[in-house]
Amino acid sequence: MLLYQAEFFMQLREVEKVLPSSVQSEIKQDLQKLWNNEALEIVNITNALDRGGRVPLPLAGHYEGVYVKVGSKKYFSSCLQRVMTPVYQKQCATGAKVKVPGECNFCKIPSNCITWCKTELFDLTKLEPAPPVPTMGSGILEDGGYFDPPVSPPSRDYFPDYIVTLIVPLIIAILLCLLLAYIMYGRREGV
């Protein structure tokens, strides 16, 4: 279980081109520099289209984008901790361009550069504990409680439903048969 996980959005990547292990190792090397940690593992790779992203134009230079989630047993680096600061969150909320400090600029391959405002950190040590498992009882109500059975539903008259469902279509069918019989036998040529 990797207790510290981070998810990065790489805008200049496509999921089909990220799946080969050689490309994943390049991405992992760049993220190791950012995290200051050699023991990173890729946890998940998700296409941006699966997260509500838009289909790119079929032109060169337009990519779908990929979310890459990595995890480690080591806590986040100082560069990553800046993502959690209120100033950083406020800059991203206003849509302003987030300035990356020089020591946090890590991508030697341009397609591995991340979108900082879409970076999320997950500290799994702070998760709430699971609720306790319910205990099985005997299944018998304790003495002293009064059980009031539910009132039976009111009786329903099904005659109007019968008329609408069966009688009305039957009358219409008989009228149509009489009309067809009149046209076929009563209005024949020469009669």
Side-chain angles (χ1 to χ4, degrees):
M1 183 74 179
L2 302 171
L3 298 176
Y4 304 104
Q5 297 180 2
E7 186 173 64
F8 305 100
F9 178 67
M10 298 182 180
Q11 189 172 4
L12 300 177
R13 287 281 188 184
E14 291 185 358
V15 74
E16 294 86 11
K17 295 184 176 147
V18 173
L19 294 178
S21 59
S22 60
V23 176
Q24 288 183 19
S25 65
E26 290 174 357
I27 292 172
K28 197 159 66 166
Q29 286 174 2
D30 279 346
L31 293 177
Q32 285 171 346
K33 291 176 188 171
L34 176 66
W35 200 312
N36 293 331
N37 184 3
E38 296 294 321
L40 281 185
E41 294 297 324
I42 293 181
V43 176
N44 190 11
I45 296 174
T46 307
N47 191 350
L49 298 178
D50 295 339
R51 301 270 189 96
R54 300 180 78 183
V55 178
L57 294 172
L59 302 172
H62 290 84
Y63 302 95
E64 298 167 352
V66 174
Y67 286 93
V68 177
K69 188 180 226 182
V70 295
S72 176
K73 293 180 181 177
K74 184 180 172 187
Y75 195 68
F76 307 112
S77 67
S78 59
C79 287
L80 290 176
Q81 289 178 20
R82 290 185 186 145
V83 172
M84 296 185 286
T85 61
V87 174
Y88 174 85
Q89 298 290 335
K90 187 176 180 183
Q91 282 180 343
C92 286
T94 59
K97 185 169 173 121
V98 177
K99 294 181 181 177
V100 180
E103 69 271 7
C104 295
N105 194 2
F106 68 95
C107 53
K108 64 180 179 184
I109 301 173
S111 57
N112 288 349
C113 292
I114 63 173
T115 304
W116 283 94
C117 283
K118 291 187 179 182
T119 301
E120 289 186 60
L121 305 179
F122 304 98
D123 187 357
L124 301 182
T125 59
K126 296 180 181 177
L127 290 179
E128 296 179 8
V133 179
T135 57
M136 297 298 291
S138 65
I140 300 171
L141 290 175
E142 295 179 10
D143 190 26
Y146 176 70
F147 178 68
D148 187 15
V151 179
S152 62
S155 62
R156 184 173 172 189
D157 185 18
Y158 290 103
F159 188 71
D161 294 338
Y162 173 75
I163 290 175
V164 171
T165 306
L166 293 176
I167 303 296
V168 171
L170 184 63
I171 291 173
I172 292 173
I174 290 172
L175 288 176
L176 288 175
C177 286
L178 290 175
L179 180 66
L180 182 62
Y182 172 71
I183 291 172
M184 294 296 291
Y185 297 108
R187 304 279 299 180
R188 295 182 76 176
E189 291 183 29
V191 176

